[in-house]
């Protein structure tokens, strides 16, 4: 009975694991981005305090903004990739689970399990 219950819960546990790994990856990417952003912002402020020419300061700020944009774009692409990978894994898992349910008379199995619980 325990093994039967464990087997029936496996797809949900697998889904939870996929979601957990995806969330961890997204959190890691965001943490990395925030850390890089703070560090580069501090470095940019320090660099701007040392610049005497306004034109040089503007050029430095434009370069900095382009770097920030490139980093944000890269992180976004990595996040999209992580989400796409999770979607693909979840799709495969659901297809497999539905195929297995089709192979077995799922309702009959559930009914047997419920009758077993009722007898106890």
């Amino acid at each position: 009975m325990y093994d039967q219950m464990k087997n029936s819960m496996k797809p949900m546990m697998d889904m939870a694991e996929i979601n957990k790994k995806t969330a961890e990856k997204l959190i890691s990417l965001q943490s990395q981005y925030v850390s890089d952003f703070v560090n580069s912002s501090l470095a940019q402020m320090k660099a701007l305090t040392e610049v005497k020419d306004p034109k040089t300061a503007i050029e430095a700020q434009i370069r900095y903004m382009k770097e920030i944009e490139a980093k944000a774009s890269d992180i976004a692409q990595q996040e999209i990739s992580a989400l796409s990978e999770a979607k693909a894994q979840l799709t495969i898992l659901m297809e497999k689970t539905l195929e297995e349910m089709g192979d077995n008379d799922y309702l009959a199995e559930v009914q047997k399990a419920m009758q077993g619980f009722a007898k106890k």
Side-chain angles (χ1 to χ4, degrees):
M1 203 45 87
Y2 172 74
D3 288 337
Q4 190 177 26
M5 183 75 109
K6 186 174 144 185
N7 288 338
S8 69
M9 295 298 288
K10 185 171 180 354
M12 284 188 260
M13 298 304 291
D14 291 345
M15 288 175 71
E17 185 64 25
I18 291 168
N19 287 332
K20 180 184 127 197
K21 286 180 181 179
T22 303
E24 287 171 349
K25 176 143 183 140
L26 294 174
I27 290 168
S28 173
L29 288 169
Q30 285 296 309
S31 296
Q32 175 188 349
Y33 175 73
V34 168
S35 176
D36 287 348
F37 179 75
V38 169
N39 291 334
S40 65
S41 293
L42 292 173
Q44 179 67 7
M45 282 192 281
K46 182 180 179 197
L48 287 176
T49 61
E50 297 171 0
V51 173
K52 304 293 182 208
D53 179 36
K55 183 179 179 185
T56 305
I58 291 171
E59 290 170 353
Q61 191 64 16
I62 290 171
R63 278 193 309 276
Y64 169 71
M65 294 305 289
K66 287 181 180 180
E67 288 173 14
I68 291 296
E69 180 183 6
K71 287 178 184 178
S73 178
D74 181 52
I75 293 294
Q77 289 297 324
Q78 291 180 50
E79 289 174 340
I80 289 169
S81 176
L83 291 170
S84 295
E85 183 180 328
K87 178 185 174 192
Q89 291 174 351
L90 290 169
T91 300
I92 290 168
L93 178 64
M94 290 303 297
E95 287 172 353
K96 180 182 171 192
T97 301
L98 290 173
E99 284 176 14
E100 289 172 359
M101 286 175 63
D103 292 342
N104 298 329
D105 187 2
Y106 182 71
L107 292 177
E109 293 293 324
V110 170
Q111 189 175 24
K112 283 182 196 176
M114 295 306 279
Q115 288 172 351
F117 286 129
K119 289 179 183 177
K120 292 182 180 185

